[in-house]
Amino acid sequence: MMRDTVILRVVVKLLLPAILIFALYVQFHGEYGPGGGFQAGVAAAAAIILYGMIFGIDEAQKVVPRRIVNTMIPLGVLIFAGTGVASMFLGENYLNYSPFASKPVNGQHVGILVVEAGVFITVASTMLAIFYVFGGRADEADQRADEAGKKGGEG
Amino acid sequence: MVVVVIGIIRAHNLFAVVMLGGIYSFLLATVMVILDAVDVAMTEAAVGAGMSTVLLLAVLHLTRAREAPLRHAPAIPLLVCLLTGGALVYGTLDLPPFGKADNPQNQHVAPYYLENAEAETKSPNVVTAVLASYRGYDTLGEVAVIFTAGIGVLILLSRRRRREMIVEDEGGSKHDA
């Protein structure tokens, strides 16, 4: 998309690690401060999308391939739902995290972490998948316009 | 916010409209911060101002950046908007006063959460405790909604492309898809 702007490329390269670390901070600090899986997922996806916008979608898909994204979308839901099933097997109600550790309080702690990870995975990968599809179409449109321009020039 | 909305209505360049939409989302996020709903503010800033702006820009890349001229009279939509808005404002008249401690929503389960959340889940942020633990079902439903929406968009957008590829394979030079 905007591959030839030096300032953008350098600034984005500087920003990317900061955005990703902020996403992880929001993810794992969500229990103590504002944030959680949803916000962190969007932030992480935004980092990859920024990369894709500046360096081209193909480069972004080298970092996070489309197949991984497509498997991650259901994976997050499965983690969330599977947590509930696991707690049922451990003799509690669905989605009651108390039996995951020796003390119920610690169990809740573990459960929240796992469930937030599920939310994170699904949200981040869904956002990325939508961006990939839209961006892919935009690239195709560009190519078609280029071809049409060439044909017009020849004819 | 009112100024931004008037700007959105008056602007005919869709690029400006998208940017103004992002500004509106950020203003809404600051309102949420003022209301002490920091989690909601973060979501609004990330999703409303960030993600949807980016996606709309991607859409603008596919379409033209100018608004199409109106083909019908704006009176009927205006009437519908005014009626709906009026009904909603009329509905808010019956709501209990804002932020009072003895309102129904502050009397039901909220005190229990506020008092016991930290002891029961070891999470000082009550919002996270309620979201992930007490109301885990709702959050699971939310994730399922995102999942379905994502899958739906993927199916819709990638099916079209497959048909285009078939057309290209069959027709060779046909590019009318």
Side-chain angles (χ1 to χ4, degrees):
Chain A
M1 289 180 176
M2 302 177 211
R3 257 150 278 186
D4 24 324
T5 332
V6 180
I7 300 176
L8 277 179
R9 295 176 71 135
V10 172
V11 171
V12 163
K13 275 195 177 167
L14 284 176
L15 276 178
L16 274 179
I19 297 177
L20 281 176
I21 285 195
F22 179 70
L24 288 177
Y25 166 78
V26 170
Q27 168 79 12
F28 291 107
H29 203 261
E31 275 181 78
Y32 308 103
F38 195 86
Q39 292 90 334
V42 176
I48 308 289
I49 288 175
L50 190 62
Y51 186 74
M53 282 179 82
I54 304 299
F55 294 89
I57 287 205
D58 293 338
E59 289 294 313
Q61 285 184 350
K62 268 183 212 158
V63 182
V64 191
R66 202 174 252 197
R67 189 186 287 170
I68 291 185
V69 171
N70 286 355
T71 30
M72 270 162 67
I73 297 177
L75 183 71
V77 184
L78 281 180
I79 288 178
F80 203 136
T83 320
V85 177
S87 60
M88 272 169 90
F89 273 121
L90 290 169
E92 263 294 346
N93 286 332
Y94 189 71
L95 284 177
N96 186 341
Y97 318 130
S98 298
F100 287 153
S102 50
K103 276 194 294 181
V105 177
N106 293 349
Q108 294 283 340
H109 203 72
V110 175
I112 290 179
L113 273 183
V114 174
V115 160
E116 293 273 1
V119 177
F120 174 85
I121 291 174
T122 295
V123 170
S125 52
T126 307
M127 298 292 169
L128 258 187
I130 293 177
F131 173 71
Y132 279 171
V133 178
F134 267 109
R137 289 184 76 102
D139 278 0
E140 274 177 18
D142 280 352
Q143 282 172 6
R144 232 176 289 146
D146 285 351
E147 282 172 17
K150 273 179 199 162
K151 272 178 194 165
E154 287 165 7
Chain B
M1 283 170 91
V2 174
V3 173
V4 172
V5 169
I6 293 174
I8 289 179
I9 295 173
R10 295 206 57 87
H12 288 290
N13 188 345
L14 290 180
F15 187 76
V17 172
V18 170
M19 285 302 149
L20 284 172
I23 294 174
Y24 183 84
S25 280
F26 261 120
L27 288 177
L28 195 61
T30 46
V31 171
M32 293 297 176
V33 171
I34 294 170
L35 289 175
D36 272 347
V38 194
D39 287 76
V40 188
M42 251 177 116
T43 317
E44 176 65 37
V47 179
M51 287 300 305
S52 31
T53 310
V54 166
L55 286 183
L56 283 174
L57 282 180
V59 174
L60 272 191
H61 192 76
L62 289 173
T63 58
R64 276 172 299 151
R66 302 278 316 169
E67 203 173 320
L70 273 183
R71 291 222 188 90
H72 55 83
I76 299 173
L78 183 70
L79 192 72
V80 171
C81 281
L82 284 181
L83 275 180
T84 330
L88 287 174
V89 170
Y90 178 71
T92 59
L93 293 180
D94 264 352
L95 286 179
F98 176 75
K100 266 180 98 181
D102 51 351
N103 284 351
Q105 82 268 28
N106 294 339
Q107 287 298 313
H108 185 46
V109 285
Y112 176 83
Y113 288 155
L114 285 178
E115 279 163 20
N116 300 322
E118 191 162 358
E120 284 182 4
T121 64
K122 247 170 108 179
S123 161
N125 183 2
V126 186
V127 177
T128 307
V130 172
L131 263 183
S133 186
Y134 291 116
R135 311 259 9 121
Y137 270 127
D138 296 357
T139 314
L140 177 59
E142 241 169 70
V143 176
V145 166
I146 296 171
F147 166 74
T148 346
I151 296 292
V153 170
L154 282 185
I155 290 175
L156 272 179
L157 288 183
S158 43
R159 209 171 107 211
R160 179 87 175 275
R161 178 174 316 143
R162 211 176 300 139
R163 201 195 298 148
E164 274 172 23
M165 269 156 67
I166 293 169
V167 169
E168 274 172 26
D169 286 347
E170 285 173 350
S173 61
K174 276 183 195 166
H175 273 286
D176 51 353

